[in-house]
Amino acid sequence: ASRAMAALGASRGADSGRAILGLVAYFPPRGDALAAAITALDSRREELALWLKPEALPIVIDALRTESDRVDTMLPLVRSAAALGPEAVPSLARLTRHPDAEVLAAAAEALAAFKHVDALPALEAVIAGALNDPRFSPKESRPDPAQLLARIEKSVAILRRAL
């Protein structure tokens, strides 16, 4: 299944894009087949945003909700949501409370790119409490918490300038 998804991800055109969206909507949450479909979706995110945005937006937003326990799918979903434009901001803003610091950092960067200043209080609270926040404790085979916090701080600085 993952080879077929990789082939769909490498293909071009609206038909194969619709096929990927259909598979993301079809596969059950938190499964390996859905993860492969989300990876294919991520590889086509700019193209899908250009040609299939009305179809892609509800599917990506729903997947952001159902996949929140899987970091490996959340990161490509955040990128896909960001590519779809400001309509995804409410779903991205909910991720300021995500239990994984890497997902939180990716969402913060997307919110900063959209100049979504309403996210500022939540992100400032994350920074203020980072020393006691278990999301920012070192974990094996995970990104450096200091780098993740730096990404969030940079996003906060962008949002402050946007005020």
Side-chain angles (χ1 to χ4, degrees):
S2 61
R3 276 194 205 156
M5 290 302 159
L8 274 174
S11 63
R12 295 289 168 246
D15 289 340
S16 62
R18 277 191 189 91
I20 293 170
L21 289 171
L23 292 170
V24 170
Y26 172 78
F27 287 133
R30 295 173 297 282
D32 290 339
L34 180 58
I38 288 170
T39 299
L41 176 80
D42 183 41
S43 68
R44 304 273 304 274
R45 65 184 176 272
E46 286 87 8
E47 181 185 350
L48 292 173
L50 182 65
W51 294 342
L52 301 171
K53 182 176 177 176
E55 296 167 60
L57 190 63
I59 292 169
V60 170
I61 287 172
D62 186 57
L64 277 170
R65 184 183 50 76
T66 63
E67 292 298 294
S68 64
D69 294 342
R70 285 190 66 162
V71 174
D72 64 324
T73 57
M74 285 300 290
L75 295 171
L77 283 169
V78 169
R79 289 189 296 266
S80 295
L84 290 170
E87 297 87 347
V89 163
S91 294
L92 293 168
R94 283 191 288 279
L95 298 178
T96 60
R97 297 181 304 274
H98 197 274
D100 183 83
E102 188 175 10
V103 172
L104 170 58
E109 289 168 335
L111 292 166
F114 290 120
K115 307 281 191 269
H116 184 66
V117 295
D118 290 349
L120 203 48
L123 294 173
E124 288 173 329
V126 167
I127 292 169
L131 287 177
N132 299 317
D133 190 330
R135 293 178 289 192
F136 295 100
S137 60
K139 294 173 186 75
E140 192 174 321
S141 73
R142 300 289 293 137
D144 177 8
Q147 291 176 348
L148 297 174
L149 189 58
R151 289 170 55 191
I152 297 167
E153 289 170 338
K154 182 178 178 185
S155 298
V156 165
I158 291 168
L159 290 171
R160 283 182 182 148
R161 286 193 300 273
L163 287 173

